[in-house]
Amino acid sequence: MADIFDVIADGTRRDILRLLLDRAAGGQDGTSVSQIVSELGVSQPTVSKHLKVLREAGLVAVREEGQHRYYRLQAAPLDEVDAWIVPFLDEAGSADVIPLPEPAVHAAEAVGRAAASAKHAWESALKKLPGR
């Protein structure tokens, strides 16, 4: 399997991942290759090549219906990227930063909690889908 950093280094693959994330957030349970081609304006062979790399890295799952294939994001492999980058963000955050006003701190905490809650609800809902 390719290194996750090599996989996401390619801009087209990141565009595909973003598209699949946006579609999933919109309630779509899969995006066809033709939809990806149309949305990104990239050729079908190019999209298929990148989807194969993403599939082998475990970043996308595919569901086949007849001759059509529907792809959806599987974000778990990105945990490795998250674990690697967080210490850098923490380190960068400790340097001469102007503190936020108290209301902004509370708002940021509320947004963070809401995002974490939404992520948990989303992951729980995905686990309940057939075929998962």
Side-chain angles (χ1 to χ4, degrees):
M1 176 168 39
D3 179 73
I4 191 71
F5 294 96
D6 290 336
V7 172
I8 63 172
D10 184 275
T12 302
R13 289 194 284 265
R14 288 192 312 271
D15 290 344
I16 292 170
L17 292 172
R18 171 56 66 183
L19 175 65
L20 295 177
L21 175 65
D22 292 346
R23 294 282 176 109
Q28 209 168 337
D29 183 36
T31 304
S32 72
V33 174
S34 62
Q35 289 171 317
I36 296 170
V37 167
S38 174
E39 186 79 22
L40 298 182
V42 180
S43 73
Q44 186 275 325
T46 298
V47 168
S48 292
K49 177 187 80 166
H50 287 298
L51 284 169
K52 179 181 179 193
V53 173
L54 292 169
R55 193 174 57 247
E56 289 173 350
L59 285 165
V60 298
V62 62
R63 180 182 83 245
E64 295 183 23
E65 289 183 14
Q67 293 185 351
H68 299 282
R69 286 169 177 69
Y70 296 90
Y71 288 85
R72 63 181 158 74
L73 178 67
Q74 295 197 141
L78 294 172
D79 289 343
E80 179 182 350
V81 175
D82 190 46
W84 185 85
I85 202 164
V86 165
F88 292 95
L89 297 174
D90 290 344
E91 183 65 31
S94 66
D96 300 326
V97 175
I98 300 170
L100 289 173
E102 195 64 28
V105 170
H106 291 301
E109 289 173 351
V111 168
R113 282 192 300 275
S117 177
K119 178 184 177 194
H120 174 73
W122 178 250
E123 288 173 346
S124 296
L126 284 177
K127 289 178 184 173
K128 294 177 184 176
L129 291 174
R132 293 219 15 117

